[in-house]
Amino acid sequence: MEWFKPMIKYHNELNKIALSGLTTREVDILFAICSVIRDQGTNEVTFSFNEIKRLASVTTANQDEFVSIIKNIYGKLSTLKVTYDNGNKFGYFVLFTKFLGDRENEIVSIQINSEFSYLLNDLTRNFTMFELQEFNGLDSIYSKHLYRLLKQFKSTGEYRVKVDDFKKLLDIPESYTMKRITDKILNPIIEKEMPKYFKNFSIEKVREGRSIKYLVFRFNKEKPYTVSNEEPSMPVSTTTPNQILIEQRKEDILCPKCGKPLVLLYNKNGDTFWGHADYLVNTCKETYSTKEEIETIKEQRAELLEDEADRAKFEQEVKELINQHKDIVNLIGIDKRSVCIEQIEQQDLFYQNPVIQIKINRNAIDTIKKYIETWSK
């Protein structure tokens, strides 16, 4: 999938968070992580060191250096108390409640704060979206912070911000005067990097009295990313109960090969296709042009069972499906007429793991997938 460009997509409220103290590499890794755990709900997501480095376009001399970066990121994020205030309720939270590394297996397990998972999940409106590779290509930490803020306003071509807020969001030292910001940041950095990604980029300084009160960044409007009508649509809310999210996920578009949910993705020319949000770390890398193609493939796979010559192919598909979910289900055996599976997880001492015998017919694969989905909850 060399033609695919990973995208980062998150709720606009994330742009209100000042990511204080992070270096350019740390910011690249943070948003690479966000691109993987997006649309994973509050599930714990595990991926390898190499996948993070590949997504973030980061190279390190050795494992110790990479581990040090990861530890620094979470150390800074854990002390970064993000303010939440909707006019009625208020409080503070951290973005991730779990950030666990494993040197021996070279993996990291991450879990987003369930209270605010809306920042990366079920986004149908009020979101910022951009190419991860383009973001990684920016040299300055100030440019990286401003780039994502400008992307929120790509459809209007104008971003107006108070100077005090600008300093906070770009993590500019509080002691910097407007003259120093201009000499050290705007002229040598911002005006050098931003025109590469925003056509006819300009900066206006708006005065109130004798002091500069606002900065206005202007550029050519871009066509906004739109959410396909085929995608599930649900208002994003911090008060959305978990059971509503679960009910919505029951209607997910499932992959004909592995049975896991698919999401709508973008390729480099802006066209859409269906694939796994975590395709870089998912064992299944299948993609599909349309929902109709997915349904057609499902029907074709079911028809194969009518031909005895394809029996071996069916058995291989069952084994691959079970192997992809080996933490949930075990394949006891396949005979001439049925497939026998059992649930792996033992819930308590008095719970007997169910053993299910499934008749081999047109719906056998889908039946196994339904059991896997049920047992995974």
Side-chain angles (χ1 to χ4, degrees):
M1 294 183 70
E2 295 181 357
W3 47 270
F4 176 74
K5 291 188 176 181
M7 307 294 292
I8 176 66
K9 179 181 177 184
Y10 56 80
H11 196 282
N12 290 339
E13 287 193 16
L14 188 56
N15 285 333
K16 299 177 183 179
I17 299 173
L19 302 175
S20 305
L22 295 178
T23 66
T24 54
R25 286 203 301 183
E26 290 168 352
V27 166
D28 288 342
I29 290 175
L30 171 62
F31 282 100
I33 289 171
C34 289
S35 73
V36 173
I37 66 175
R38 192 190 96 201
D39 290 326
Q40 299 299 311
T42 57
N43 295 327
E44 179 182 323
V45 181
T46 300
F47 38 93
S48 70
F49 290 178
N50 287 336
E51 293 295 351
I52 298 177
K53 289 190 283 188
R54 183 187 307 171
L55 276 172
S57 301
V58 166
T59 58
T60 56
N62 49 49
Q63 186 195 80
D64 288 341
E65 182 183 4
F66 180 75
V67 169
S68 177
I69 295 173
I70 290 291
K71 290 170 67 176
N72 285 340
I73 291 174
Y74 190 64
K76 293 173 182 178
L77 291 178
S78 64
T79 58
L80 176 65
K81 299 298 187 294
V82 182
T83 304
Y84 169 68
D85 190 337
N86 66 2
N88 180 29
K89 296 182 179 181
F90 59 92
Y92 301 89
F93 71 99
V94 291
L95 290 175
F96 305 109
T97 54
K98 184 173 184 178
F99 210 102
L100 183 63
D102 183 333
R103 287 188 178 87
E104 181 179 356
N105 296 306
E106 296 191 334
I107 57 175
V108 179
S109 298
I110 297 172
Q111 191 169 26
I112 192 169
N113 187 317
S114 60
E115 191 72 21
F116 295 90
S117 65
Y118 73 96
L119 290 174
L120 295 173
N121 290 281
D122 304 295
L123 300 171
T124 58
R125 59 175 182 238
N126 299 327
F127 61 81
T128 299
M129 190 170 186
F130 51 82
E131 292 181 8
L132 199 58
Q133 183 179 356
E134 194 170 87
F135 179 77
N136 294 340
L138 292 161
D139 295 326
S140 166
I141 188 65
Y142 298 124
S143 294
K144 287 182 184 292
H145 288 322
L146 180 59
Y147 171 91
R148 59 191 184 88
L149 294 173
L150 296 182
K151 281 295 183 179
Q152 178 180 337
F153 298 90
K154 62 185 294 184
S155 61
T156 66
E158 180 176 308
Y159 172 52
R160 182 185 181 92
V161 59
K162 290 183 178 180
V163 171
D164 289 343
D165 291 338
F166 179 75
K167 292 168 67 174
K168 180 182 71 174
L169 293 172
L170 266 69
D171 197 23
I172 298 172
E174 188 63 33
S175 61
Y176 271 35
T177 62
M178 191 64 237
K179 183 180 185 308
R180 192 167 187 185
I181 291 174
T182 300
D183 294 341
K184 297 289 186 180
I185 298 172
L186 294 182
N187 289 347
I189 298 174
I190 301 298
E191 290 189 340
K192 178 182 177 182
E193 291 204 79
M194 289 301 100
K196 298 177 183 177
Y197 307 99
F198 301 93
K199 294 182 180 179
N200 294 322
F201 176 82
S202 66
I203 305 173
E204 179 187 358
K205 299 171 183 176
V206 180
R207 292 180 178 273
E208 285 190 3
R210 299 180 61 182
S211 61
I212 297 173
K213 189 73 173 180
Y214 293 92
L215 292 176
V216 182
F217 300 91
R218 294 190 178 91
F219 47 92
N220 288 1
K221 297 179 183 179
E222 298 179 33
K223 182 179 178 181
Y225 288 110
T226 56
V227 178
S228 166
N229 291 331
E230 294 180 325
E231 277 196 317
S233 178
M234 184 177 70
V236 176
S237 170
T238 59
T239 59
T240 301
N242 289 337
Q243 56 266 31
I244 294 179
L245 295 178
I246 292 173
E247 288 301 315
Q248 183 197 8
R249 294 203 176 277
K250 287 183 180 179
E251 301 176 0
D252 280 343
I253 308 301
L254 302 180
C255 175
K257 182 175 181 180
C258 70
K260 292 183 178 179
L262 300 170
V263 296
L264 204 60
L265 300 170
Y266 298 82
N267 65 19
K268 64 180 180 181
N269 63 11
D271 292 337
T272 58
F273 66 97
W274 291 89
H276 296 284
D278 56 345
Y279 83 98
L280 284 176
V281 296
N282 199 316
T283 54
C284 179
K285 315 248 184 228
E286 294 296 313
T287 61
Y288 310 91
S289 300
T290 62
K291 285 175 63 177
E292 289 72 21
E293 180 187 357
I294 295 171
E295 293 304 317
T296 299
I297 292 175
K298 284 183 179 179
E299 292 176 3
Q300 290 174 345
R301 288 172 180 264
E303 293 292 343
L304 289 176
L305 295 181
E306 297 181 358
D307 186 348
E308 289 297 327
D310 290 307
R311 170 69 184 216
K313 186 172 183 179
F314 165 74
E315 291 187 5
Q316 180 62 31
E317 185 172 346
V318 170
K319 291 175 182 177
E320 289 180 358
L321 177 61
I322 299 297
N323 186 56
Q324 289 167 4
H325 302 86
K326 57 187 178 181
D327 59 326
I328 299 170
V329 63
N330 178 50
L331 176 62
I332 296 178
I334 306 177
D335 59 29
K336 187 175 182 179
R337 293 185 175 84
S338 63
V339 177
C340 193
I341 61 174
E342 69 173 343
Q343 182 184 9
I344 286 181
E345 183 178 1
Q346 185 174 346
Q347 297 180 356
D348 57 54
L349 293 175
F350 304 99
Y351 180 81
Q352 291 185 340
N353 295 339
V355 176
I356 305 297
Q357 191 171 29
I358 300 168
K359 183 179 179 181
I360 295 178
N361 57 25
R362 292 165 54 92
N363 301 315
I365 295 293
D366 286 338
T367 301
I368 296 173
K369 290 176 182 176
K370 288 179 181 178
Y371 277 110
I372 292 173
E373 181 182 2
T374 299
W375 291 342
S376 64
K377 294 176 182 177

